[in-house]
Amino acid sequence: MNQGLLGKVGMDPKMALGYLGVMIFMIGEGLELGWLSSYLIDSGLTVQQSALLFSVYGFAVAIAAWLSGVLAEILGARRAMIWGVALFTAGTLVFLTAGIPTMNLGIMIPTYALRGLGYPLFAYSFLVWLTYYAPQEKLGTAVGWFWVSFAAGLNVLGAYYSSFALPYLGEIRTLWSALIFTVLGAAVGIFLNKEDKSSNSKKRFETKADALKYIAKGITIAFEKPKVGIGGIVRTINTAGAYGIVVFMPVYMMEIGFTRTEWLQIYGALWTSNVIFNLIFGIVGDKLGWRNTVMWFGGVGCGITFAGLYYVPYFMGANYWATTAIAIAFGACLAAYVPLSALIPSLAPGNRGAAMSILNLGAGLSTFIGPVIVGAFIGSVGVVGIIWIFTGLHIVSALLMKFVTLPKDSLDIEVKTYKAAQ
C-alpha cells in the first residue's frame, strides 16, 4: 500500500529512504544560513569579512560538488557519501570549539570551508546514484524529488527549526545541534537505504591512472560537449542570488523594520515554496520540455521576482505578508531550474557522472559567486545595485538556455512522454 502511494506521487519506493536521509542531513547543514552572517557581524565581523567567510566556504562547496559526480563513480555513491559525513563532522567540531569562540578568521575560514566540503559529497553523490537508477522518461520527476528533499532540509526545515531553537538554545547550541541531524540523516540515507546493484554508479578502472583520467573528465567534458558547459553556467546563476542574499538581506530586512524571527519565517516561506515547486517543475519539465521550463519559468521568472525582493519592502515597508508573497514567488521560480538535472546528464548518456560533475560544480560555484559579488560590489553600488546584478544574471541564464538543445533521439523521448500524458 505504501509502495502504491509513493508510486502515485512519482517517488520510487526503493529510493524513498535516500530522499529522507538527504532531507534530514541538509537540516543540519542549513540551520544557520538565515542568521549566521548577522550573528557574526553583531559579534564583531564586518560585512566584507562575513562575505569572505561565506565565499571561501562556497569555493570549498564548489570543489566538492565538482568532485562528487566523478567520485561517486570511482568510489561508489555510498562510500562518497560516507566521506561527506566525515568531512562535515570534522569541520563542525573545530569551527565550533576553536573558531567561533575566538572570532579568529584564520581558524574560522578553513574549518568552515572543511564543513562545506562535506554536504556536496553526501547529497550530490546520491543525486548521481539517482540518475543511474531512474528511467529516462521519469528522470525529471526523480530529480524533482531529490531537490524537494534537498531544499526542504537545507532551506525550509533548517530555517524554521532555527526560528524556534534560537530563543531557547542560543546561537552556539543551535549550531551544535546540527550534528544530530547530519548523523541521523547519514544513518537513514546510507545504511538503511537498500542499494540496487543493477543501478550502482561505481565504474571499474584498470589502473589508478585511468581513475585520475576520469576525474579530469569532470572538467574536459564541458569542452567536449559545450552544451554541458553552458548548463553548468546556468546552474551557477540559478542559486547565486539565493546564496548572496544570506550575506546582506538579513541586515537590510532588519533595517526596514522586520525582526529576526520574521525574516527567518519569510526566508523559510521562500524555500517552502521552492520545495513544493521543485516537484511541480520536475513534472512540468517532463511534459512541456526541460529547456523551455528552465528558460521561461526559471530565468525570466527569477529575474522579475528577485527584483521584487528589494522593491516590495522598499515601497511597502515592513509588510510581512506582501514580502512573504514575493519571497514565495521567487522560491517557486528558482525551482524551475530543476530540469537541468535531467537535461544535462542526458546530453552525455555515456558519462553521466562527469556531466553531473559540471552541473554540481555550477551548484557549488553559486555558493561561492553569490557572496563574492556581494563582498565585491556592495560597498560601491549598495543593496539596490546588488539586486540588479543578480536580476541581470537570471536574464542572461534565460538567453543561454536557447543554446542548450537535446539531440533528436532524446527529443523523441520527451515528445513521446508528453503525448502519453495527454
Side-chain angles (χ1 to χ4, degrees), residues 132-149:
Y132 275 89
Y133 179 83
Q136 177 81 1
E137 68 275 9
K138 294 183 178 179
L139 188 55
T141 304
V143 299
W145 271 115
F146 168 81
W147 290 112
V148 165
S149 305

Side-chain angles (χ1 to χ4, degrees), residues 104 147 184 187 211 248 264 302 305 338 390 394:
N104 184 333
W147 290 112
L184 179 59
F248 73 94
L264 285 173
C302 280
T305 55
V338 155
F390 286 124
H394 281 298

Side-chain angles (χ1 to χ4, degrees), residues 132 221 225 228 343-356 406-407:
Y132 275 89
I221 195 169
K225 296 183 178 292
V228 172
L343 175 58
I344 299 308
S346 297
L347 294 170
N351 293 286
R352 288 175 180 259
M356 285 302 298
L406 283 165

Side-chain angles (χ1 to χ4, degrees), residues 132-391:
Y132 275 89
Y133 179 83
Q136 177 81 1
E137 68 275 9
K138 294 183 178 179
L139 188 55
T141 304
V143 299
W145 271 115
F146 168 81
W147 290 112
V148 165
S149 305
F150 183 94
L154 180 67
N155 302 115
V156 179
L157 297 176
Y160 281 119
Y161 167 76
S162 288
S163 72
F164 294 111
L166 284 170
Y168 298 99
L169 299 180
E171 288 83 359
I172 300 302
R173 285 179 180 153
T174 299
L175 288 171
W176 274 112
S177 68
L179 291 176
I180 298 172
F181 292 105
T182 54
V183 171
L184 179 59
V188 173
I190 299 174
F191 301 110
L192 295 184
N193 191 31
K194 301 299 182 183
E195 185 171 13
D196 188 320
K197 299 296 184 182
S198 66
S199 61
N200 194 347
S201 62
K202 187 173 182 179
K203 288 183 177 290
R204 304 294 178 185
F205 296 96
E206 299 272 336
T207 65
K208 289 183 178 180
D210 291 334
L212 290 173
K213 185 177 179 180
Y214 193 76
I215 290 177
K217 189 80 170 177
I219 287 292
T220 59
I221 195 169
F223 300 96
E224 295 167 8
K225 296 183 178 292
K227 293 176 184 178
V228 172
I230 293 172
I233 295 171
V234 173
R235 181 63 185 89
T236 302
I237 294 171
N238 175 194
T239 47
Y243 284 110
I245 64 173
V246 303
V247 177
F248 73 94
M249 193 62 80
V251 176
Y252 170 70
M253 288 294 185
M254 284 178 240
E255 288 176 353
I256 290 290
F258 291 103
T259 66
R260 183 169 69 173
T261 297
E262 286 174 331
W263 159 245
L264 285 173
Q265 290 172 353
I266 292 168
Y267 184 77
L270 185 161
W271 291 106
T272 299
S273 166
N274 180 257
V275 166
I276 295 169
F277 279 90
N278 275 336
L279 180 58
I280 291 173
F281 279 120
I283 296 170
V284 168
D286 282 343
K287 293 181 181 295
L288 301 183
W290 297 332
R291 184 183 68 151
N292 287 334
T293 300
V294 174
M295 184 188 308
W296 293 108
F297 293 101
V300 175
C302 280
I304 295 169
T305 55
F306 191 84
L309 285 176
Y310 174 83
Y311 284 104
V312 168
Y314 178 82
F315 287 114
M316 302 186 69
N319 187 315
Y320 177 82
W321 293 110
T323 305
T324 299
I326 191 64
I328 287 171
F330 175 61
C333 292
L334 271 180
Y337 286 90
V338 155
L340 281 172
S341 296
L343 175 58
I344 299 308
S346 297
L347 294 170
N351 293 286
R352 288 175 180 259
M356 285 302 298
S357 284
I358 295 297
L359 199 62
N360 294 344
L361 175 61
L365 279 175
S366 70
T367 69
F368 170 66
I369 294 296
V372 163
I373 289 174
V374 175
F377 295 105
I378 197 165
S380 57
V381 300
V383 172
V384 66
I386 296 296
I387 291 292
W388 278 105
I389 288 172
F390 286 124
T391 295

Side-chain angles (χ1 to χ4, degrees), residues 6 11-25 78 81 122 126 129 149 184-195:
L6 291 173
M11 180 185 290
D12 191 306
K14 292 181 180 178
M15 302 302 286
L17 284 174
Y19 290 125
L20 179 61
V22 168
M23 183 178 71
I24 297 171
F25 183 95
R78 282 170 175 261
M81 291 168 75
F122 182 86
F126 176 76
W129 184 2
S149 305
L184 179 59
V188 173
I190 299 174
F191 301 110
L192 295 184
N193 191 31
K194 301 299 182 183
E195 185 171 13

